Amino acid sequence: MTSTVPALGTRTAEGSALQAVLLDMDGTLVDTEGFWWDAEVAVFAALGHALDEAWREVVVGGPMTRSAGFLIEATGADITLPELTVLLNDGFEERISRALPLMPGAARLLAELAAHEVPTALVSASHRRIIDRVLASLGPQYFALTVAGDEVERTKPYPDPYLLAAAGLGADPARCAVIEDTATGVAAAEAAGCHVVAVPSVAPIAPAYRRTVVPSLEHVNLPFLHGLMGV
């Protein structure tokens, strides 16, 4: 976990009770969920196995151990979890080295949060090596703190990563807005007690109490996030 945490009061300059914004990475800020699936398909093809497209919704948004473990069990591939983890991370890194497309509205939202000095954290199930590669393009200056999936004992769908991020920013989880794209991430954020903005990438997500669903980040701005705190 990296941290350069600014001093934090209980309210922002606008007077809202919003204390921090916590953002997922893959599929939320960067359009890379498809990169993970492409890497998985390619690795298993080399092992002599074809992946069922229906499995994509099973593995999306999950920690590497869960996703890779499921695919090993589903295919019966002769490979260990540590070996597969290395191959998948290598395949993903090779793809983002060629292109790293941002999700619509991501750059504008990050700039707006920074301009208003809203404490912001990046919270991802991806490993640190992947986060650091993405941050180089996304902009590390936008995040006071980052949490990687291989830096917590229990990652998403457990609440631990979001609880750790909120604590690191000195924020009450109930006063944090989390932006996520998968059911796994949403479950983690809600278990932590945060307000959630779901921007579905691969599979649909239904609205619920303290959960707002929007079609893209272009519908999310600072007044919108402040408004969540009154829900």
Side-chain angles (χ1 to χ4, degrees):
M1 182 174 66
T2 61
S3 177
T4 54
V5 183
L8 176 69
T10 57
R11 293 176 180 268
T12 65
E14 285 77 7
S16 166
L18 176 69
Q19 291 185 343
V21 177
L22 317 177
L23 300 108
D24 174 54
M25 187 177 74
D26 293 301
T28 299
L29 292 176
V30 288
D31 191 6
T32 51
E33 289 292 10
F35 289 7
W36 280 115
W37 180 247
D38 291 346
E40 289 158 351
V41 168
V43 168
F44 277 90
L47 295 170
H49 299 275
L51 300 188
D52 189 323
E53 183 70 24
W55 296 342
R56 184 173 181 178
E57 290 191 16
V58 178
V59 301
V60 67
M64 177 73 75
T65 51
R66 189 196 74 182
S67 300
F70 168 83
L71 293 174
I72 290 173
E73 183 176 351
T75 61
D78 184 18
I79 189 170
T80 67
L81 185 59
E83 290 170 340
L84 180 57
T85 296
V86 171
L87 292 177
L88 292 178
N89 277 326
D90 286 347
F92 182 79
E93 280 197 73
E94 192 276 329
R95 284 164 174 80
I96 64 174
S97 70
R98 288 184 268 136
L100 185 61
L102 297 186
M103 298 299 287
R108 187 266 314 152
L109 178 60
L110 290 176
E112 182 178 6
L113 294 174
H116 289 84
E117 299 183 342
V118 177
T120 304
L122 185 68
V123 184
S124 176
S126 290
H127 289 185
R128 169 57 58 188
R129 59 178 282 195
I130 299 298
I131 287 182
D132 287 346
R133 284 292 299 274
V134 173
L135 276 174
S137 296
L138 191 59
Q141 71 274 13
Y142 291 119
F143 305 99
L145 181 148
T146 65
V147 178
D150 57 342
E151 295 174 340
V152 290
E153 185 174 345
R154 302 188 308 172
T155 188
K156 305 172 187 180
Y158 294 100
D160 306 32
Y162 282 113
L163 292 173
L164 181 63
L169 295 175
D172 178 355
R175 294 302 180 187
C176 293
V178 169
I179 305 179
E180 273 279 0
D181 72 302
T182 67
T184 298
V186 166
E190 290 181 341
C194 304
H195 292 261
V196 178
V197 179
V199 191
S201 59
V202 174
I205 298 173
Y209 176 64
R210 291 167 65 94
R211 181 198 308 166
T212 303
V213 180
V214 296
S216 83
L217 291 180
E218 293 179 315
H219 293 258
V220 181
N221 57 23
L222 193 49
F224 173 89
L225 295 173
H226 283 315
L228 295 178
M229 298 300 108
V231 175

